[in-house]
Amino acid sequence: MGAVITACFSRQGHTIIGVDTDAFKVGQINAGKSPIIEPELEKMLGEGVAAGRVSATSDFKSAVLDSEISMICVGTPSKPDGSIDLTYIRRVCENIGEVLRDKPSRHIVIIRSTMLPGSIEGTVIPALEKTSGKKNGLGFGVGINPEFLRESTAVHDFYNPPKTVIGTESVEDFHKVAELYDGIPGPMVHANVRTAEMVKYADNCFHALKIVFANEIGRASKALGSNADEVMRIFSLDTKLNLSPVYLKPGFCYGGSCLPKDLRAIAAAGRALGVELPLMEGIGLSNDAHFNSAFRYLLEQKEEPIAVLGFAFKAGTDDLRESPVVKLIEELVKAGKQVRLYDRNVSPERLIGANKKFIEAHLPHLSHLIVGSVDELVEGAKVIVVGNGNDEARTLLPQLGHEIKVVDLVSGGIKTSTKAAIWRPCA
Ligand SMILES: NC(=O)c1ccc[n+]([C@@H]2O[C@H](COP(=O)([O-])OP(=O)(O)OC[C@H]3O[C@@H](n4cnc5c(N)ncnc54)[C@H](O)[C@@H]3O)[C@@H](O)[C@H]2O)c1
């Protein structure tokens, strides 16, 4: 990655000093040769060296003294237990910090390596502060600028990034780093450091998930006599629900009359046909884990009653079948909690058909818990669970005069009065 960004930033007109402890790589770069096989790279490095904009060295001191920004691209491999090894990051920060001790001007240290949230705070800043004797923010600035290039198309990806994300504490540092990307297309995002550290993990987890998903649908299709390539081709035509931001907002569990049933059916078919589908089996387990985090939080709350605003499986419907909020209510009642409910779309007299049967089987006492209005619901309540996206929450909560804990399961940008504290299962 260091070699690729050296070549690409130099073509943008910047002067780059590559630093590596590996003498062979330093020699290769100085000879205008690529240390790795990557389309376009050797040609670009050669041009950069010939133009005097690219050089390489093992000498940290001259490189840091003669530059304004250090970009750290060292490896962040796995330890035997899978956890991240920050040894190289720590070492390189110590090396930079030692030089910063004698550098009069402010320097910016930007991490390009992939590192878990907390690594800048827990490893990078302490290593730099200890060795430089300077304070973060004053003598130097830090940040993370995750890299999204892929091997074999790295140069193309550099000039066509899906987005550029720069996580810094200072806005000036952000602008300074952003200038390096002048002329590069795609959204430019300034994020806080911990968010920027996490973005690359969200990306890579999702990319791995997509591959595994396509392969599981492929194995299930094959076992069930469908054409996997056609299934996924048709799947990918749907840019409204499938390949889109829909369903990608952290919130509460999935539920309703379709998703749980259909996932159970695919997983059961896999078991019956001897096809392993651990992802399809695991999706429900992950949903349960998410449910448990909200349930445990509510169990720990001493205050009662717990008011639940909106409990149909989604806003604008009265469908209660496999509503995760109904399950939450059921478990809270079983645990002996006092619960009060209101959903403007659900009144016991109006429940009919499969919906009514579901409630009779799963929550026969539901009707006794339902109150007739939002005012009745919040009267004296110390905890309110916003269970689906009904607009009431948005108008009600900013006006509430008494102290209340809001458990926001919809993550709908809820605003509250200053007396309310918001808890979400995943934010
Ligand atoms: N390879 C990719 O396509 C890619 C893409 C995006 C992000 N990343 C991330 O970038 C980071 C680097 O990946 P990579 O594939 O380029 O790793 P790499 O192992 O190929 O390169 C790391 C380089 O750092 C050098 N190095 C190690 N310690 C040093 C030190 N103290 N001083 C100077 N040089 C030192 C090594 O000699 C090596 O040349 C990782 O965190 C990786 O996850 C990689």
Side-chain angles (χ1 to χ4, degrees):
M1 193 246 282
V4 172
I5 67 168
T6 295
C8 294
F9 279 129
S10 82
R11 189 175 267 185
Q12 295 293 98
H14 301 287
T15 304
I16 314 293
I17 311 163
V19 184
D20 207 298
T21 46
D22 184 332
F24 173 75
K25 291 186 182 178
V26 169
Q28 288 281 99
I29 301 268
N30 281 328
K33 296 211 164 97
S34 172
I36 53 162
I37 295 175
E38 187 63 45
E40 292 286 307
L41 188 56
E42 181 142 309
K43 185 167 155 274
M44 290 171 64
L45 283 170
E47 285 167 8
V49 172
R53 284 198 302 271
V54 170
S55 61
T57 177
S58 291
D59 175 18
F60 267 94
K61 192 159 185 186
S62 61
V64 173
L65 289 176
D66 293 346
S67 61
E68 295 169 78
I69 300 175
S70 292
M71 290 198 156
I72 300 181
C73 310
V74 296
T76 47
S78 298
K79 291 185 192 166
D81 66 355
S83 61
I84 187 168
D85 184 352
L86 294 177
T87 308
Y88 302 112
I89 294 279
R90 185 178 301 108
R91 199 170 296 151
V92 87
C93 288
E94 287 168 354
N95 291 338
I96 293 172
E98 279 156 19
V99 184
L100 292 184
R101 190 173 272 282
D102 301 325
K103 186 173 177 183
S105 58
R106 194 171 177 277
H107 196 80
I108 302 176
V109 178
I110 296 293
I111 310 291
R112 306 300 317 268
S113 307
T114 306
M115 301 189 312
L116 285 168
S119 304
I120 294 233
E121 204 179 311
T123 301
V124 171
I125 294 174
L128 287 166
E129 286 191 335
K130 193 175 104 206
T131 48
S132 69
K134 295 182 172 174
K135 275 296 271 171
N136 169 40
L138 299 171
F140 62 88
V142 293
I144 181 157
N145 171 207
E147 180 52 70
F148 304 115
L149 54 82
R150 295 162 297 171
E151 288 179 37
S152 84
T153 54
V155 170
H156 175 268
D157 291 349
F158 181 93
Y159 291 109
N160 301 278
K163 72 258 180 190
T164 301
V165 180
I166 301 171
T168 57
E169 288 160 351
S170 117
V171 179
E172 291 78 42
D173 289 350
F174 161 72
H175 287 302
K176 191 114 201 174
V177 179
E179 266 175 34
L180 296 173
Y181 291 93
D182 269 355
I184 304 271
M188 164 66 71
V189 185
H190 182 210
N192 78 34
V193 168
R194 281 198 187 231
T195 300
E197 286 175 312
M198 189 65 189
V199 163
K200 179 76 185 180
Y201 286 93
D203 286 357
N204 278 354
C205 292
F206 189 51
H207 299 167
L209 176 69
K210 284 172 85 172
I211 292 168
V212 166
F213 173 79
N215 289 340
E216 280 208 8
I217 292 293
R219 289 204 301 282
S221 299
K222 185 175 171 186
L224 291 163
S226 308
N227 179 328
D229 297 325
E230 267 302 275
V231 170
M232 286 311 292
R233 187 185 69 78
I234 297 165
F235 172 93
S236 301
L237 293 176
D238 179 348
T239 53
K240 290 212 166 95
L241 300 182
N242 293 348
L243 308 185
S244 78
V246 173
Y247 302 127
L248 288 177
K249 214 168 140 219
F252 198 43
C253 308
Y254 68 78
S257 59
C258 296
L259 301 189
K261 158 181 93 66
D262 297 346
L263 272 153
R264 283 193 295 266
I266 277 282
R271 287 195 295 276
L273 294 164
V275 181
E276 282 183 73
L277 301 174
L279 178 63
M280 303 303 159
E281 301 270 7
I283 289 172
L285 297 178
S286 180
N287 207 42
D288 292 346
H290 199 57
F291 175 89
N292 287 340
S293 70
F295 177 56
R296 272 198 303 270
Y297 176 81
L298 285 165
L299 268 192
E300 283 162 13
Q301 304 312 306
K302 302 276 173 285
E303 301 91 342
E304 293 182 77
I306 296 173
V308 180
L309 179 59
F311 52 95
F313 102 97
K314 71 174 157 183
T317 161
D318 66 348
D319 197 351
L320 300 174
R321 289 170 297 167
E322 300 212 33
S323 158
V325 185
V326 168
K327 188 174 154 204
L328 191 63
I329 296 163
E330 199 175 6
E331 294 299 323
L332 288 170
V333 169
K334 263 195 227 156
K337 290 279 186 191
Q338 278 180 55
V339 185
R340 218 187 257 172
L341 321 174
Y342 177 76
D343 187 313
R344 70 169 167 210
N345 293 310
V346 184
S347 66
E349 311 80 58
R350 292 216 313 260
L351 292 176
I352 50 166
N355 206 10
K356 186 163 198 253
K357 272 203 195 123
F358 178 82
I359 288 307
E360 279 166 358
H362 290 266
L363 204 56
H365 41 283
L366 178 86
S367 50
H368 305 299
L369 307 177
I370 296 178
V371 297
S373 69
V374 177
D375 292 339
E376 248 182 277
L377 180 76
V378 291
E379 172 81 49
K382 296 282 184 344
V383 182
I384 183 165
V385 178
V386 182
N388 65 35
N390 285 351
D391 301 338
E392 277 105 334
R394 271 180 223 124
T395 43
L396 169 80
L397 294 171
Q399 296 162 12
L400 267 187
H402 65 277
E403 301 265 337
I404 197 154
K405 281 183 187 157
V406 181
V407 176
D408 173 13
L409 300 182
V410 301
S411 308
I414 287 177
K415 298 236 176 350
T416 61
S417 70
T418 48
K419 295 190 168 174
I422 292 200
W423 182 88
R424 288 173 59 192
C426 52

